[in-house]
Structure formats: C-alpha cells, structure tokens
Amino acid sequence: MRCGVNARLEVWRQTLESKGFKLSRITTEYLECKFSVGAHEAEVHVKLDTQVIPQRDRFKYLGSVIQGNGEIDEDVAHRIGVEWMKWRLVSGVLCDKNVPPRCKGKFYKAVVRPSMLYGAECWPVKKSHVQKLKVAEMRMLRWMCGHTRRDKIRNEYIRDKLGVAPIEDKLRESRLR
C-alpha cells in the first residue's frame, strides 16, 4: 500500500500544475496514521520529484491537533490552552466582583467554554481526558467566584451559583448532537 504513495503524489502534483497551481516542496509534509500496531511494512521514503518529504507524527489542521497514532491527548491539551488564552482575554469581566455570578456564568458559557469544546464532537474521549477538562474548568469557575480549593466549597455549589452545567455533560451533548 505504501509503495504506491510516491506515484499517487506525482500524479497529484502533475494535475495541480496542469491547472496552474504549484505544490510547495518546502512546506509539504506528511503524516502516517498508524492505527494498528501489528503490521509493519518496510520503510518507504515519500518523495516529490527527487526531494524527500519530511514525516510528522502530528500536525495542526483547522484548529485541531491530529496525531498519527489516533490519540487525542495533544488536542485536549491544546484545547485547554486555548481556553486559558480566551479566559485571560475576558478575565476582567469574569473576575469583576460587581458583575453578578449568573451573568458571569452566561458569559463563560458563551465565550470561554466553546473554545475548549471545539472539535469535541469527534473525539474518542477517555476518562483521563474528561478529568483534565473538568479540572481546568473548575479552576476557572472557582477563580470567577473568588474561591480557592482551600475554602473547601463543593464544586456543585459553585456550578449552581454560576448556573454552569458540568463539562462532561456538555461534552456528551456535543457528541450526541
């Protein structure tokens, strides 16, 4: 299967160039998806003309991190990082003591949470991923309320105060949509 890749890539390049497009030999990379560990084929170098194309084990596509092994660990970590960046942009509103908690919750649900759940509809989620998402979200919610874990206030109370449903429910809802 892998030995025909070079021939197909050459046909693709020729077709593009016949339509007036040019395939960049500098920025072109490829990702090999290794979903099954059993079968190992001989190493094949993918080439465009005579230039060897570098192989990547992951890349970013449409805001999601695609890994060659089919895992989503890096995409979940990236989404949490994006959520924190969005949080920093709007923290002035979310941490303002003059803003009512319900209003903060609505703002959080409309602005911050969607950045974390982007692309989650097709994630093969594990419990460890859900746990990481829950921890990140609860840190933000506690911060919005001005509480720390030392205050020993239950997560359910904070969620009720802000009117925010658990992230695992929203994750399940987005996958079932």
Side-chain angles (χ1 to χ4, degrees), residues 9 23 31 44 46 52 64-65 78 82 84 87-88 98 102 110 115 119 123 128 131 154 157 167-168 171 173 177:
L9 186 60
L23 189 60
L31 173 86
V44 175
V46 178
V52 176
S64 296
V65 179
H78 172 70
V82 167
W84 277 109
W87 164 266
R88 285 181 195 96
N98 297 325
R102 288 283 178 175
S115 65
W123 284 351
S128 63
Q131 183 62 28
R154 299 187 64 82
Y157 174 77
I167 190 78
E168 54 202 322
L171 185 62
E173 182 181 301
R177 190 174 322 133

Side-chain angles (χ1 to χ4, degrees), residues 49-169:
D49 282 339
T50 57
Q51 183 178 352
V52 176
I53 298 175
Q55 181 179 359
R56 301 277 310 261
D57 58 345
R58 67 184 168 283
F59 69 93
K60 198 178 204 178
Y61 180 71
L62 296 177
S64 296
V65 179
I66 312 293
Q67 291 177 243
N69 60 4
E71 293 292 326
I72 62 163
D73 299 330
E74 291 184 34
D75 195 24
V76 170
H78 172 70
R79 288 282 113 212
I80 291 171
V82 167
E83 181 186 32
W84 277 109
M85 284 190 295
K86 192 64 76 174
W87 164 266
R88 285 181 195 96
L89 288 173
V90 296
S91 62
V93 173
L94 295 177
C95 296
D96 189 352
K97 295 185 189 231
N98 297 325
V99 177
R102 288 283 178 175
C103 187
K104 288 180 184 182
K106 286 180 183 178
F107 195 78
Y108 172 82
K109 290 186 289 187
V111 176
V112 180
R113 184 186 268 172
S115 65
M116 183 166 59
L117 294 180
Y118 176 79
E121 298 87 10
C122 56
W123 284 351
V125 183
K126 296 179 182 175
K127 288 181 183 177
S128 63
H129 301 137
V130 174
Q131 183 62 28
K132 287 178 184 178
L133 295 171
K134 282 169 49 175
V135 167
E137 181 176 62
M138 281 313 302
R139 283 184 66 196
M140 290 179 196
L141 296 180
R142 285 179 181 280
W143 203 337
M144 284 167 44
C145 292
H147 298 298
T148 65
R149 290 202 41 175
R150 288 185 182 176
D151 297 335
K152 296 190 178 182
I153 297 174
R154 299 187 64 82
N155 292 347
E156 294 80 22
Y157 174 77
I158 291 175
R159 287 187 188 286
D160 286 342
K161 184 177 177 182
L162 295 168
V164 176
I167 190 78
E168 54 202 322
D169 293 351

Side-chain angles (χ1 to χ4, degrees), residues 4-64:
V5 170
N6 287 328
R8 288 184 188 147
L9 186 60
E10 184 60 29
V11 169
W12 187 52
R13 183 192 64 80
Q14 289 173 355
T15 305
L16 286 173
E17 288 179 356
S18 71
K19 305 290 183 195
F21 295 99
K22 189 168 184 172
L23 189 60
S24 171
R25 288 166 173 75
I26 298 168
T27 60
T28 302
E29 302 169 331
Y30 78 98
L31 173 86
E32 179 182 1
C33 296
K34 300 176 184 175
F35 298 126
S36 61
V37 247
H40 292 290
E41 294 184 28
E43 186 67 29
V44 175
H45 294 287
V46 178
K47 296 180 180 180
L48 191 58
D49 282 339
T50 57
Q51 183 178 352
V52 176
I53 298 175
Q55 181 179 359
R56 301 277 310 261
D57 58 345
R58 67 184 168 283
F59 69 93
K60 198 178 204 178
Y61 180 71
L62 296 177
S64 296

